[in-house]
Amino acid sequence: MRATRFTHVSIHAYDLEESMRFYVDVLGMRRVPSPDFAQRVEWLQLGDQQLHLFLSEEPAPHYHHIGLDVDDFEAAYRMASERGLFDGDAFGAEVRELLDGAVQLYLRDPAGNLVEVNWPDAGTLDTSVVTTMKNIADERPQSDEAMRATLYPERQVPA
């Protein structure tokens, strides 16, 4: 037996309506029907996967996060800037270029959950819009193995 894919990720919300607005308005997800569980849960559609939100008063773990691709990284960057959503404390730079050329930025949702927003190719971005990008290799030295790392499996380079 082996797992074949993720179906959903489940994270908490202090206020389900506020968190749903964040994921729908900021990240373009779509609310879909969810079962009536003992605890209220809201399901949001993202492609062929889902994000499940449940009520909890517990704080979000600082480094746990979900990673999402977007269809317009520059728009995500502008929105994060305008709304003050960046989280530069969790992993450093507001926008980081990885060794394979992918780019990521980090946001916090209304409940404090960390959301990583990804884009496959830094070379396609307008640097007059995305102005705070730093390369991970400039932050710390990278091992030979790390130099082969990729966020996108289809780019995996054999050892």
Side-chain angles (χ1 to χ4, degrees), residues 111-130:
N113 294 297
L114 190 59
V115 179
E116 177 183 304
V117 176
N118 298 300
W119 183 254
D121 187 358
T124 64
L125 297 176
D126 182 345
T127 55
S128 71
V129 174
V130 181

Side-chain angles (χ1 to χ4, degrees), residues 26-40:
V26 173
L27 295 168
M29 294 183 190
R30 182 175 59 88
R31 185 183 176 278
V32 295
S34 58
D36 291 326
F37 294 107
Q39 179 181 17
R40 185 169 167 215

Side-chain angles (χ1 to χ4, degrees), residues 69 73 96-105 116-125 133-138 142-158:
D69 275 344
F73 192 86
R96 177 182 293 118
E97 181 181 358
L98 300 176
L99 301 166
D100 67 347
V103 182
Q104 55 189 193
L105 64 82
E116 177 183 304
V117 176
N118 298 300
W119 183 254
D121 187 358
T124 64
L125 297 176
M133 189 168 19
K134 295 182 181 173
N135 192 292
I136 192 170
D138 295 334
Q142 300 293 306
S143 69
D144 289 342
E145 181 180 40
M147 294 298 288
R148 294 190 315 271
T150 181
L151 190 59
Y152 295 92
E154 64 274 11
R155 295 184 184 174
Q156 192 65 48
V157 177

Side-chain angles (χ1 to χ4, degrees), residues 2 7 14 18 38 40 45 48 67 78 86 91-92 95 104 109 118 132 144 152 157:
R2 67 180 180 89
T7 57
Y14 297 133
E18 180 182 32
R40 185 169 167 215
Q45 192 74 37
D48 65 349
R78 280 192 296 272
F86 283 116
F91 294 112
V95 179
Q104 55 189 193
D109 79 2
N118 298 300
T132 60
D144 289 342
Y152 295 92
V157 177

